[in-house]
Amino acid sequence: LPVVAALAVASVLVLAIVCTNLANLVLARGVTRRGEIAVRRALGASRIRIVRLLLLEHFMLAVPAAAVGLLLSTRDFSMGAGTGVASVAPTALNLSPDGWVVACALLVACASTMLFGFLPALRASRVSVASLLKEEAGTRDSGKARMRGVLVVAQVAASLVLLVGAGLTIRTVEAARGADVGFDANSTVSVSLDLQPGGYDEARGRALYEALLERLRSTPGVTDAATAAFVPLRMIEAASRTVAPDGYAARPDEDMRLAYNTVSPGYFTTLRIPLRTGREFDKTDSARGNAAVIVNETMARRYWSTPETALGKRLRIGASGSEWRTVVGVVRDIKYLSINEAPSPYFYLPLAQNYRSDMTLHVRGSVDTGTLTESVRSAVHAIDPNLPILETQTLAAQARVGLVLFETVAAALGAFGVMAMALAAVGIFGLVSYSVRQREQEIGVRVALGARRLDVVRQFLWSGLRLGAAGAAAGVVVALVVTRLMAALLYGVSATDPLSFSAALLLVMVLTVSASALPAWRAARVDPNVTLRRQ
């Protein structure tokens, strides 16, 4: 949900920037059409007909643009494309547009046209022949110029918000890539099996898994092997059960439903998850043995103060009549669902006492993962040639799934930020260029009277910089609020990260100067002789 919300907000901001750019163009074009509109009014056209005509022109731009956008959206944009983890993502996202998407796109196009086209059209329809003849050339456009300036400031502010968001997510990806996930994913392959379709009951299934692990551990090149119900960093909630620690009084509003995993002996050794105290599961934790459980550090500290005092304590799992289990070990916390998750209580049950037909083999070896995968396949088919292998992957690839959300948001916000800043730069360029065009006579007179061309350049550069600075200031204020709502998407970086804000500000101001420089340079090259002769 946070990813979808972030991308939706970014999309709305980019759409708003595009619409304000178009509104600026419409306002500027309205000045050049004042004579045409005045003549239409003089010939009897009502303001409603003028507004309808202008809105129709806007719709002729919006609807084809929406059609082009829908055509581009049919391309195959898959989550994790290019990262090598798309095949191990726990869910498949259908990103192809359907009827609802098409209808929504057309609705957004029409709504944007009405929202950003109606006001300029209404202002343009107010002109009359009498007012046009009475107005001075220099004051005709003062109101529209102020509105265009406000729209450009809004564009710059929105683009800075997107650039800050992109900077934060890029920094998050950098931090997440170096994060300590609590286990070692190198030189390990994961192979998923399900015995139920093959007709295995619990007794035969337990025996098959034990035989398979024994065979794998004796295979050359294999150092460790174990099974687990769930692989780490799968991004979606797995199994959970209600627990009742012996001697712990839960608060009335406390959620005692905790996530857990079912593993075989050797699981923690295979994944290199450190044992803090106690022991791992072994052959004594059989179906006829004492009910055992292993908890993580966070669970031990929350319910029994320290890992050492947790040993030997009892934990009831399930309904009030369920069997009590004894804590036989405490292991280090790992990242169970996502890299940016907060430490949470978690426990492990032995496969022999909590049988599941669908399990994943984790096999660590001293050979390359391709050879290791073939060894696992050979071992499975040697025991049961008809047993299907559901999925094969490296544990390192699975661990990278935890980065997919961060990389997706970083790439999307980065693209949106660059696009938004480019549009804002176009808006600044257009506004300064239009101002130069409107003031050519004034520039010619000033140059003829001895004004230095450097002063002319400085004047229009300052005009663009004022817009950029105002937009940047507004954008910083908005970004300080918006980025706090992105906390669920951040890892290893503060929502007010100075580097992200500074980089976004620097980029905004550089592009503002660049967008203002060319029209300012053109203003300095105005020939007073040509300008005055034209007048």
Side-chain angles (χ1 to χ4, degrees):
L1 183 60
V3 175
V4 176
L7 296 182
V9 170
S11 302
V12 170
L13 286 177
V14 172
L15 176 63
I17 292 172
V18 172
C19 291
T20 52
N21 237 346
L22 289 176
N24 254 335
L25 293 176
V26 170
L27 285 170
R29 188 165 179 261
V31 176
T32 63
R33 298 183 64 184
R34 289 168 66 86
E36 173 200 338
I37 296 174
V39 171
R40 289 179 182 271
R41 292 295 306 277
L43 293 177
S46 64
R47 288 186 62 190
I48 294 178
R49 295 194 64 179
I50 298 295
V51 170
R52 188 169 58 193
L53 171 66
L54 297 177
L55 285 178
L56 182 60
E57 293 177 355
H58 301 163
F59 276 115
M60 295 300 292
L61 293 174
V63 175
V68 172
L70 286 172
L71 183 62
L72 293 176
S73 69
T74 58
R75 294 185 59 187
D76 184 18
F77 296 109
S78 300
M79 175 179 286
T83 63
V85 296
S87 63
V88 296
T91 56
L93 300 179
N94 181 12
L95 301 180
S96 59
D98 55 11
W100 287 103
V101 173
V102 173
C104 182
L106 293 176
L107 179 62
V108 168
C110 295
S112 301
T113 301
M114 291 298 297
L115 183 62
F116 289 89
F118 180 73
L119 185 56
L122 189 63
R123 289 180 65 91
S125 68
R126 290 177 181 172
V127 70
S128 65
V129 176
S131 62
L132 185 63
L133 294 175
K134 291 178 182 178
E135 286 180 356
E136 294 290 337
T139 60
R140 289 178 186 172
D141 193 33
S142 59
K144 291 185 175 65
R146 285 193 295 271
M147 179 177 289
R148 290 199 299 273
V150 170
L151 292 177
V152 168
V153 168
Q155 285 179 324
V156 174
S159 63
L160 186 134
V161 172
L162 289 173
L163 288 173
V164 169
L168 289 174
T169 51
I170 289 172
R171 297 257 291 156
T172 291
V173 170
E174 293 176 354
R177 284 174 178 166
D180 181 9
V181 295
F183 60 92
D184 182 8
N186 298 316
S187 304
T188 306
V189 297
S190 300
V191 179
S192 299
L193 304 174
D194 190 354
L195 307 185
Q196 187 173 10
Y200 284 83
D201 56 18
E202 181 174 342
R204 292 179 60 216
R206 188 183 295 111
L208 183 142
Y209 279 127
E210 290 177 358
L212 183 57
L213 289 177
E214 289 295 330
R215 188 180 190 91
L216 284 170
R217 289 165 183 159
S218 62
T219 301
V222 174
T223 56
D224 294 293
T227 60
F230 310 109
V231 295
L233 292 177
R234 57 185 283 115
M235 295 194 300
I236 56 175
E237 186 68 51
S240 61
R241 297 177 70 177
T242 301
V243 302
D246 189 19
Y248 179 81
R251 300 187 304 272
D253 59 342
E254 186 174 0
D255 185 9
M256 298 301 294
R257 192 171 186 84
L258 305 182
Y260 73 97
N261 200 354
T262 300
V263 301
S264 70
Y267 173 77
F268 303 104
T269 300
T270 302
L271 267 63
R272 303 293 191 262
I273 300 175
L275 185 68
R276 294 307 189 202
T277 187
R279 64 173 177 86
E280 291 194 41
F281 294 131
D282 54 31
K283 292 184 178 180
T284 63
D285 301 309
S286 62
R288 297 180 179 181
N290 294 327
V293 63
I294 292 177
V295 302
N296 68 351
E297 280 188 272
T298 297
M299 186 169 179
R301 296 184 189 280
R302 176 172 297 185
Y303 302 126
W304 299 292
S305 301
T306 65
E308 290 73 21
T309 56
L311 283 181
K313 293 296 191 292
R314 296 191 307 164
L315 181 71
R316 189 176 62 202
I317 301 173
S320 58
S322 300
E323 182 181 13
W324 288 91
R325 291 181 174 271
T326 302
V327 177
V328 298
V330 178
V331 294
R332 179 190 178 189
D333 291 3
I334 67 170
K335 299 295 184 181
Y336 304 101
L337 299 180
S338 63
I339 291 178
N340 64 335
E341 67 184 11
S344 58
Y346 197 90
F347 63 93
Y348 301 85
L349 299 177
L351 175 61
Q353 298 177 358
N354 190 60
Y355 173 75
R356 290 178 61 98
S357 63
D358 55 323
M359 299 289 285
T360 296
L361 291 169
H362 294 302
V363 183
R364 180 180 295 276
S366 57
V367 296
D368 63 90
T369 55
T371 303
L372 201 59
T373 300
E374 288 303 316
S375 298
V376 176
R377 289 181 178 274
S378 299
V380 172
H381 291 155
I383 294 178
D384 186 348
N386 299 319
L387 187 63
I389 295 177
L390 303 182
E391 190 176 28
T392 301
Q393 67 205 22
T394 65
L395 188 58
Q398 172 61 44
R400 275 191 54 78
V401 172
L403 290 173
V404 168
L405 293 181
F406 299 118
E407 292 175 339
T408 301
V409 175
L413 289 184
F416 285 149
V418 171
M419 188 187 310
M421 193 59 243
L423 291 170
V426 169
I428 294 174
F429 174 83
L431 186 59
V432 177
S433 296
Y434 185 78
S435 178
V436 170
R437 185 75 176 272
Q438 290 293 101
R439 300 173 63 179
E440 280 186 352
Q441 181 185 3
E442 174 195 337
I443 297 170
V445 171
R446 290 179 59 192
V447 173
L449 293 177
R452 294 184 305 168
R453 296 188 183 275
L454 181 60
D455 292 334
V456 176
V457 172
R458 187 183 296 116
Q459 176 188 358
F460 286 99
L461 270 180
W462 176 243
S463 176
L465 277 173
R466 280 186 303 174
L467 294 174
V476 168
V477 174
V478 175
L480 287 172
V481 177
V482 172
T483 53
R484 295 182 184 278
L485 305 178
M486 295 177 56
L489 298 175
L490 301 181
Y491 174 79
V493 62
S494 168
T496 57
D497 178 49
L499 182 59
S500 299
F501 276 80
S502 300
L505 275 172
L506 179 61
L507 183 57
V508 164
M509 297 314 297
V510 167
L511 288 178
T512 297
V513 172
S514 302
S516 306
L518 183 57
W521 177 75
R522 287 178 177 174
R525 290 176 57 85
V526 169
D527 189 343
N529 294 323
V530 175
T531 303
L532 296 177
R533 190 181 302 118
R534 186 185 303 158
Q535 291 301 119

